[in-house]
């Protein structure tokens, strides 16, 4: 593999109180939720940096946030997301990079601050033989999708943010005769329950894992039940 062959794209939004991680409220204030998401994002970018021989990129919103992301992630290519729906935006981004000559394009969530970086390396390895790689989430979605050629139906014809996104994606891939390989299951942090799980997991993981998120949680001083 080489960086000229592989691109790893993180989907991100500029943290904005009242518009970012609102499902963490009212456990957190809108400002706290936005600040914590920035910690998630910083940790996700650190995970990406641990993956060898890939071109790192950020697909961001809103369009006017270029300066913010350029400062946040020096060395990452920054591209604005284009499209009306999430599926359209994911397809447009992956297809654009593949048409630029990248052999493997992987796009991932920024809500996985403690994701093992080896899962990302495995995604590119799987694309040597498979057409598509999917990192399923326990809630029925996925934290990552990658491909070595455009497959618009898998993104544009799936209703996102449901409990059966991964299942629907696999069904469409089967209809189109695409070989899909699955990565280990993981979880997005998008509500109070998954945040409590993250806090619990971090207490058992090495201190270098999700260091920004650890500091963000410490500042909040939340007491989780259980």
């Amino acid at each position: 593999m080489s960086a000229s062959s592989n691109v790893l794209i993180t989907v991100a939004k500029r943290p904005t109180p009242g518009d970012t991680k609102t499902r963490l409220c009212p456990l957190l204030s809108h400002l706290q939720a936005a600040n914590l998401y920035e910690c998630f994002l910083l940790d996700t970018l650190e995970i990406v940096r641990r993956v060898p021989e890939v071109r790192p990129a950020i697909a961001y919103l809103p369009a006017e946030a270029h300066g913010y992301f350029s400062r946040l992630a020096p060395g990452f290519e920054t591209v604005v997301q284009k499209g009306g729906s999430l599926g359209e935006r994911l397809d447009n981004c992956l297809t654009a990079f593949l048409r630029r000559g990248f052999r493997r394009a992987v796009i991932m969530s920024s809500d996985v601050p403690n994701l093992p970086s080896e899962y990302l390396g495995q995604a590119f390895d799987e694309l040597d033989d498979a057409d598509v790689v999917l990192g399923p989430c326990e809630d029925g979605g996925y934290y990552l999708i990658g491909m070595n050629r455009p497959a618009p139906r898998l993104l544009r014809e799936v209703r996102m943010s449901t409990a059966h996104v991964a299942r629907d994606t696999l069904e469409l891939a089967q209809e189109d005769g695409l070989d899909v390989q699955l990565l280990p299951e993981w979880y997005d942090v998008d509500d109070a329950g998954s945040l409590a799980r993250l806090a619990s997991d971090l207490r058992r993981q090495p201190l270098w894992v999700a260091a920004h998120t650890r500091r963000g949680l410490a500042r909040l001083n939340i007491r989780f039940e259980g």
Side-chain angles (χ1 to χ4, degrees):
M1 294 197 305
S2 70
S4 61
S5 298
N6 305 294
V7 60
L8 178 53
I9 312 142
T10 302
V11 175
K13 293 174 64 178
R14 182 178 59 194
T16 304
D19 189 50
T20 306
K21 307 308 291 180
T22 54
R23 291 178 63 193
L24 293 175
C25 307
L27 175 67
L28 307 182
S29 71
H30 288 301
L31 177 59
Q32 288 173 328
N35 289 341
L36 187 60
Y37 170 68
E38 184 172 71
C39 295
F40 293 175
L41 180 55
L42 287 167
D43 284 324
T44 301
L45 299 181
E46 288 297 326
I47 295 167
V48 169
R49 291 187 179 102
R50 297 187 195 111
V51 183
E53 298 183 327
V54 300
R55 169 70 169 169
I58 297 178
Y60 67 88
L61 283 175
E64 60 269 21
H66 176 264
Y68 169 81
F69 284 103
S70 295
R71 293 188 297 272
L72 190 77
F76 281 62
E77 181 172 349
T78 53
V79 295
V80 66
Q81 297 178 39
K82 297 179 180 179
S85 68
L86 175 58
E88 290 173 358
R89 295 193 297 270
L90 294 177
D91 175 51
N92 287 335
C93 187
L94 285 167
T95 296
F97 276 104
L98 289 167
R99 287 179 175 168
R100 280 173 49 185
F102 288 96
R103 290 181 56 203
R104 308 170 193 85
V106 172
I107 196 162
M108 65 176 293
S109 167
S110 51
D111 296 332
V112 286
N114 63 336
L115 180 75
S117 61
E118 55 264 31
Y119 291 5
L120 302 179
Q122 182 182 344
F124 289 98
D125 291 340
E126 297 289 2
L127 287 172
D128 282 340
D129 299 310
D131 302 305
V132 179
V133 63
L134 200 68
C137 282
E138 296 174 4
D139 64 2
Y142 55 76
Y143 60 86
L144 171 157
I145 187 169
M147 51 193 64
N148 48 34
R149 57 189 172 97
R153 288 192 70 209
L154 272 59
L155 300 158
R156 292 175 178 262
E157 296 186 22
V158 171
R159 183 181 174 191
M160 298 294 180
S161 302
T162 68
H164 42 81
V165 173
R167 184 193 69 195
D168 292 348
T169 303
L170 291 171
E171 289 177 354
L172 282 173
Q174 185 176 28
E175 287 180 11
D176 287 355
L178 299 174
D179 179 28
V180 182
Q181 289 296 315
L182 297 178
L183 297 177
E185 197 172 62
W186 203 250
Y187 62 100
D188 283 328
V189 182
D190 55 13
D191 57 20
S194 53
L195 183 61
R197 176 178 178 179
L198 174 66
S200 176
D201 286 348
L202 290 180
R203 287 195 289 270
R204 296 188 297 270
Q205 292 178 305
L207 292 177
W208 57 264
V209 174
H212 296 281
T213 298
R214 288 177 189 274
R215 289 193 288 270
L217 288 170
R219 288 192 294 268
L220 293 174
N221 194 29
I222 305 169
R223 293 181 64 88
F224 293 103
E225 296 181 3

